[in-house]
Amino acid sequence: MNPHLKTILACATMLGTLIASAQTPWQIESYFLNYLQGNHTPFVSTRTISPDAIASTEHTVWQSWLKANNLFIEEKLPALAPLTADKSWRWNLPDTLEPSASMPFYWGIKGDSKPEDGYPFFLYLHGSGPKDHEWANGIKLGQRFNDAPSIYFIPQIPNEGEYYRWWQRAKQFAWDKLLRQVLASGQVDPNKIYMFGISEGGYGSQRLGSFYADYLAGAGPMAGGEPLKNAPAENLRNTAFSLRTGDQDFGFYREQLTRYTKRALDSLQRLHPDGYTHQVELIPGYGHAIDYDPTTPWLRQHTRNPYPKHVTWENFEMDGLYRDGFYNLYVDQRSNSDTSTRTLYEMDINGNDINLCVSLVEYTTTETDPRWGIALDFAKYYTRAATGVVTVYLNNQLVDLAKPVTLTVNGNVAYHGLLTPTLENMVNSCARFFDPARIYPAAITVDLSRL
């Protein structure tokens, strides 16, 4: 072959490879749209990102995500206006998750001026009385609480029934969608998102607060008290938590379960003084009705740290569904094969050394109420996990990417060396977390069975 032609063909091949690996914003946007439509095949790219291009690439990826969300056909949050009882909207929930489920909601701004970083955002969950009455009471309370400037989302539970709850799978669909749209709105401070509620809404916000803790600056159940198997306190390590219950609120053991929550959080805070900010109060002389006003002003003082270097996550299921990620951890394959156990992830970062412990958690009930058979208290037993796949996402807020990183998993060195920032990591983490703070340029994936 003519040597000049050979050189031209080689250059053409190299150029083709470079073009194929350098996805355009349109191609990333197309991937995101497919992801939103249910195709969760991971994004693949050979493109590396130089250290000085990480910030600009992060911006490009997030803008592509926003465009894909705008193109995605779904019921959207309305344009913002003052919070009022005169105007409400509704979202229809998938029939596959709950037949004939429609969630009405109030949505709007309190206060006159938008803070520089965006509004604090509050999700309020009402109690289990007649839902029209509870929802009407919710808008009155939301307008009254002293937490402006803020944005409120006040839903009405779609249906009613003997065992019908805020944390069941159709409602999880709504919360995932709500968090995604709120974070994409450009109106909300992503580090000032709060969930709270009263009575049944207290149970709901305690469970959801533990389940979605990585998105939240704080959670504030009132007049509730969940058994801790339903809302592991460990997950609140980096999330401010308020639980206020009357000390004479004996229905469904609310007073007793509030004591157990306080006991657990006090113990965890003694072990980890840098975490587990909480106020758990039994209010003297009160039953199920208490003063609801102190909760949101207390929550509003707290700001999420999206990059904690110490994370504890008990990945529990709600109505058969699990979270796939938590802060910078993403589960490619759970270590627990069924619901008889759970997987616990404990991550500690010191400098560029990352220590990750992955355990199986088994609960044993130690106290059951004699009337309804409610499991009230538990002992936990831990064993090292030997299977499962987990990805640890990283950025310069968590480690120094210019220096070698060491990841130790269950006592074994799983990785040591320099990490290469890639477009693939940034796009996949954006799709998986839909959070402007969690677009990670680097990642390490570990198969525990290979350690």
Side-chain angles (χ1 to χ4, degrees):
M1 179 183 292
N2 185 307
H4 295 294
L5 179 58
K6 197 172 183 178
T7 301
I8 291 170
L9 289 173
C11 290
T13 301
M14 184 180 297
L15 180 60
T17 301
L18 288 172
I19 292 171
S21 66
Q23 281 87 351
T24 66
W26 180 87
Q27 290 171 305
I28 298 170
E29 179 185 319
S30 179
Y31 170 79
F32 282 148
L33 185 57
N34 283 327
Y35 190 95
L36 290 165
Q37 292 167 342
N39 180 2
H40 292 178
T41 303
F43 181 80
V44 177
S45 172
T46 59
R47 179 179 164 189
T48 61
I49 308 297
S50 64
D52 59 355
I54 288 175
S56 61
T57 307
E58 179 181 319
H59 175 77
T60 298
V61 168
W62 183 247
Q63 292 305 308
S64 295
W65 174 254
L66 297 182
K67 290 176 182 177
N69 275 261
N70 288 334
L71 291 171
F72 182 43
I73 299 172
E74 62 176 345
E75 295 169 316
K76 307 289 188 182
L77 285 169
L80 277 170
L83 183 67
T84 174
D86 297 330
K87 181 67 175 175
S88 65
W89 298 264
R90 68 178 56 237
W91 279 346
N92 294 303
L93 305 182
D95 282 340
T96 54
L97 300 178
E98 182 181 323
S100 304
S102 178
M103 179 183 281
F105 61 90
Y106 296 110
W107 158 260
I109 301 170
K110 293 168 57 178
D112 297 326
S113 57
K114 179 181 176 182
E116 183 178 349
D117 293 328
Y119 290 100
F121 171 75
F122 290 91
L123 167 62
Y124 167 78
L125 304 177
H126 66 65
S128 62
K131 65 177 188 174
D132 289 339
H133 170 77
E134 293 286 349
W135 191 41
N137 194 46
I139 184 67
K140 291 175 186 175
L141 290 171
Q143 290 173 317
R144 186 184 84 196
F145 290 145
N146 183 23
D147 49 46
S150 57
I151 293 175
Y152 263 70
F153 185 95
I154 303 172
Q156 182 187 64
I157 204 159
N159 292 301
E160 295 173 293
E162 185 174 354
Y163 194 69
Y164 188 73
R165 303 292 185 256
W166 284 113
W167 47 265
Q168 289 162 333
R169 59 179 58 206
K171 278 73 75 178
Q172 288 181 51
F173 173 89
W175 312 142
D176 288 342
K177 173 177 172 175
L178 177 64
L179 287 168
R180 174 171 54 79
Q181 290 198 16
V182 159
L183 288 167
S185 70
Q187 299 292 331
V188 168
D189 183 340
N191 296 321
K192 284 189 173 288
I193 295 176
Y194 311 92
M195 293 181 177
F196 75 108
I198 297 169
S199 191
E200 187 59 52
Y203 298 135
S205 57
Q206 188 170 353
R207 287 205 193 201
L208 295 170
S210 178
F211 199 66
Y212 291 107
D214 54 323
Y215 286 102
L216 303 179
M222 293 178 274
E226 276 279 3
L228 288 173
K229 185 177 182 180
N230 298 337
E234 287 82 354
N235 294 359
L236 300 169
R237 186 168 184 173
N238 301 289
T239 304
F241 181 77
S242 170
L243 172 56
R244 305 181 72 249
T245 306
D247 72 347
Q248 297 178 32
D249 190 355
F250 303 124
F252 299 103
Y253 300 87
R254 283 184 283 263
E255 173 268 348
Q256 185 173 340
L257 291 167
T258 296
R259 290 185 190 275
Y260 290 170
T261 299
K262 177 174 171 55
R263 179 187 68 188
L265 286 167
D266 286 349
S267 176
L268 287 165
Q269 192 175 52
R270 284 193 294 271
L271 287 171
H272 308 287
D274 61 334
Y276 294 105
T277 299
H278 65 282
Q279 64 161 16
V280 180
E281 299 178 85
L282 284 164
I283 304 166
Y286 282 81
H288 196 45
I290 61 173
D291 180 4
Y292 306 128
D293 289 345
T295 293
T296 63
W298 185 86
L299 291 175
R300 200 183 186 283
Q301 300 173 58
H302 299 282
T303 302
R304 178 185 71 153
N305 171 15
Y307 311 118
K309 296 192 177 187
H310 306 286
V311 170
T312 305
W313 176 30
E314 185 177 306
N315 190 11
F316 67 107
E317 60 85 23
M318 287 199 314
D319 200 17
L321 302 180
Y322 290 87
R323 290 285 311 281
D324 290 328
F326 196 77
Y327 290 106
N328 63 313
L329 302 177
Y330 183 80
V331 177
D332 302 274
Q333 177 189 316
R334 283 193 309 277
S335 296
N336 58 306
S337 58
D338 57 41
T339 56
S340 66
T341 58
R342 298 172 175 180
T343 306
L344 175 72
Y345 302 88
E346 299 171 281
M347 183 194 74
D348 292 286
I349 299 178
N350 294 289
N352 269 29
D353 294 324
I354 307 164
N355 187 63
L356 180 65
C357 292
V358 184
S359 307
L360 296 178
V361 186
E362 185 176 357
Y363 279 74
T364 298
T365 301
T366 59
E367 182 182 1
T368 304
D369 94 88
R371 182 176 179 185
W372 292 291
I374 299 172
L376 300 173
D377 205 7
F378 311 89
K380 294 187 186 187
Y381 300 92
Y382 301 89
T383 56
R384 286 284 176 89
T387 61
V389 181
V390 59
T391 295
V392 181
Y393 280 107
L394 296 166
N395 59 13
N396 279 309
Q397 286 76 23
L398 291 168
V399 295
D400 184 350
L401 293 176
K403 298 177 181 178
V405 169
T406 301
L407 172 62
T408 303
V409 181
N410 287 354
N412 300 294
V413 175
Y415 181 88
H416 175 76
L418 286 169
L419 292 169
T420 302
T422 68
L423 180 66
E424 180 176 302
N425 291 326
M426 299 180 87
V427 170
N428 283 324
S429 58
C430 182
R432 289 167 172 177
F433 297 114
F434 49 83
D435 186 338
R438 288 190 278 176
I439 302 174
Y440 296 99
I444 306 169
T445 299
V446 179
D447 184 340
L448 274 71
S449 67
R450 296 178 180 272
L451 294 176

